[in-house]
Amino acid sequence: GKVFSLGVVFAVQEYEAWLIPGLPGFSDRKESLALPPDIAACRDAKGVLKDNLKGGYKPTRHQEPLTGELDLTRVRAANLRSFRRLETTLAELVAACRSGNHVAIPTSPPPDEPA
């Protein structure tokens, strides 16, 4: 068989919680919008986008173009744990490809350790 790598990362809360701090022009207007003070703890990021984007927000229509507008420096500055994990996992996958080794991320604990 072929050697391949696999990485699994979950966007804690909602993917949209990564969009809110990363959209230039959107996060800059935080004081005039109904944005939660702690984006990382946002439980209704879709609702925040729906209420604050001109014309509302529909995930199937807006996720792709909004993702294209993301400023990753802003997302990093928001200090979102799940986004940091995404970046770390991607770096580990790239390193594995470059070295010719394969990885599975996250790694499983040894059989004698509890999960």
Side-chain angles (χ1 to χ4, degrees), residues 15 17-24 27 66-80 83-84 86-87 90:
Y15 174 75
W18 292 351
L19 292 175
I20 292 169
L23 293 174
S27 55
L66 290 176
T67 298
E69 295 178 31
L70 275 182
D71 179 339
L72 297 179
T73 303
R74 290 172 181 264
V75 181
R76 285 182 195 107
N79 200 27
L80 303 172
F83 188 78
R84 285 193 319 267
L86 171 68
E87 287 197 308
L90 290 173

Side-chain angles (χ1 to χ4, degrees), residues 13-93:
Q13 311 308 334
E14 301 171 88
Y15 174 75
E16 286 78 6
W18 292 351
L19 292 175
I20 292 169
L23 293 174
F26 184 76
S27 55
D28 290 340
R29 300 175 310 181
K30 186 174 183 176
E31 286 71 32
S32 63
L33 299 173
L35 297 181
D38 182 8
I39 296 299
C42 184
R43 292 281 182 185
D44 185 23
K46 285 179 180 71
V48 169
L49 290 172
K50 180 183 174 203
D51 293 344
N52 290 287
L53 288 177
K54 186 176 180 178
Y57 174 75
K58 296 218 180 267
T60 55
R61 184 178 306 150
H62 297 112
Q63 271 185 359
E64 183 181 355
L66 290 176
T67 298
E69 295 178 31
L70 275 182
D71 179 339
L72 297 179
T73 303
R74 290 172 181 264
V75 181
R76 285 182 195 107
N79 200 27
L80 303 172
R81 183 174 177 234
S82 61
F83 188 78
R84 285 193 319 267
R85 185 66 190 138
L86 171 68
E87 287 197 308
T88 300
T89 298
L90 290 173
E92 290 178 40
L93 290 170

